[in-house]
Amino acid sequence: MGEKPRKLLVLYASQTGNALDAAERIGREAERRGCSASIVSTDEFDASSLLHEEAVVFVVSTTGQGDSPDSFKAFWRFLLQRNLGNCWLQRVRYAVFGLGDSGYQKYNFVAKKLDKRLSDLGATTIIEKGLGDDQHPSGYEGTLDPWMLSLWSTLYQINAKYFPKGPDVKISQDEVIDQPKYRILYHKREKLDPKLLAESDIIQRACGMSPGKLFKDKSKPDCFLKMTRNEVLTKAGSTKDIRHFEFQFVSSTIEYEVGDVVELLPSQNPSAIDAFIERCDLDPNSFITVCPRETENSGVNEEMITQLPIKLKTFIELTMDVTSASPRRYFFEVMSFYATAEHEKERLQYFASPEGRDDLYNYNQKERRSILEVLEDFPSVHIPFEWLVQLVPPLKPRAFSISSSPLAHHARVHLTVSIVSWITPYKRTRKGLCSSWLASLTPEQEVNIPVWFHKGSLPAPSQSLPLILVGPGTGCAPFRGFVAERSVRAQSSSVAPVMFFFGCRNKDTDFLYRDFWESHTREGGMLSEEKGGGFYTAFSRDQPKKIYVQHKIHEMSKKVWDLLCDGAAVYVAGSSTKMPSDVMSALEEIVSEEMGGSKEVASRWLKDLEKARRYNVEAWS
């Protein structure tokens, strides 16, 4: 008897869905070459059984400032156990592919630390770790494609049983297109319970059956907010439209802290939803239940599955991003299978191939084409709804730093939001789904907005902790809450000083919350010099030579150093492009100069500050 064909295990840890996409792609490409693959999330895998695996591919994303996805945390804690020893994984071969953004300081940090830990536990690497970069012209796939080719070649060299016909012999994609992973059950209306369900229950049901497993146990909103104020902060002549929004709680009130984040589930354009339903020839008023296909023959009681159906149109509105998110490459591959016009089939197959990757990027990601637009460009394609449910990107809640203080703004939530709009290379105007939707709302409409609250990267500081805050542009949002809260506390107890560095393009058009900040610099306010703090501004375009927050930090080096010596914590918020690293470099220079040490010594000193949670960054791209 010959040796059995080898099976590949692909473990992934995803926060927004990208790592899952990459893991599924690796699994598909392995199976296309004759190697069966099992794709499992790290939070659904028994980490203690890892030592029994022969070959494992890890696909892990890095979020924020080097944070791991929630689904990875328990798995990682297990791997860190000291009793595992350096031979625990000596029979295991592994490969790591990371997804990150080189605009952040801790680029692909999770993949790098996982790679090192697996090696420390005795595992043998198959190939060098791959690091996918959001900044690459083709996104993470620009690295993934060549990395996979190297993976297949090396696996074949290790054991030819992985690919019985060789690593380059691929099954035709028409043969690989399997059944979709989900099935749709349609219900007769006369059998349905006519009682109306609460809005939150509808959202929970829709999100609970959505393939976009981004919600986990949080499919039900924490509460609903209603807008009470929509104010433009920027002045005429500004290149940006930045708004101040205020909300009140509709029913239940959620307790939050300064530095927390709120996620909003946006509404999509109703006419675009109708156009998608018409294009896909769906009945918007039919009632459906979405079930994993494995329940089909598993003996699961169908009555149990179908007792809480939802209207098809509502399911699309709440869970499928048909108006703003661009489809993945696999969507084009499945479309090619259902194209009846030969020229469309050929173009879609080309887009789905490695050779067509750059052209697909120019057509799809660079133009930010929506699912609806892509379907309209290929009119001969008619994809079954089961595939659409699986492949249309999930409608994700959008996260915003809260710019209010629960102490200063009782039972209210404030947000500071830049309304996103840009022109594509082909001169199409694009708008951010959530920000443009918020900008269109008025208090009179009384729209109930589903929201979730959670901790961000900025822990609420104790009032005795001196603060050095750096928040250019909308990065000032969380610090408005910090200053407002500390100001209220100062009325009844002693509080530590606050230094705040703010920056924007022009003083006259982009100075967000100018009156608020300046009021706190006067008469012994929280940002006044007499209170030991200060307010420092950098208006980058108001003079020939651009001035940024890092330059102002360096100007105030003595005061910054003194406050650091008094135990101050540094908080940085804003754009992820260059600002966080430029601020870190400015502080390294100050520490180096004041301590009389090298840059390396200063860097270690600031890393110790990070470990002590006295250097916190919240950045966004």
Side-chain angles (χ1 to χ4, degrees), residues 271-342:
S271 61
I273 294 289
D274 290 341
F276 173 79
I277 288 171
E278 187 177 341
R279 166 65 182 83
C280 299
D281 198 22
L282 303 170
D283 176 4
N285 297 312
S286 59
F287 282 80
I288 62 166
T289 308
V290 178
C291 312
R293 187 162 291 279
E294 60 257 27
T295 63
E296 195 167 18
N297 301 309
S298 63
V300 175
N301 185 335
E302 195 159 287
E303 287 301 312
M304 220 165 69
I305 298 172
T306 63
Q307 56 184 310
L308 287 174
I310 193 167
K311 192 179 280 190
L312 181 142
K313 182 175 181 178
T314 305
F315 180 80
I316 292 171
E317 287 172 332
L318 293 175
T319 70
M320 298 169 68
D321 191 342
V322 302
T323 62
S324 74
S326 295
R328 308 283 185 194
R329 193 191 328 190
Y330 189 43
F331 186 73
F332 292 88
E333 190 173 319
V334 174
M335 280 180 74
S336 73
F337 185 74
Y338 290 100
T340 54
E342 197 57 39

Side-chain angles (χ1 to χ4, degrees), residues 123-139:
T124 305
T125 183
I126 300 168
I127 57 169
E128 177 67 22
K129 63 183 172 291
L131 301 179
D133 186 3
D134 274 354
Q135 301 287 335
H136 187 283
S138 298

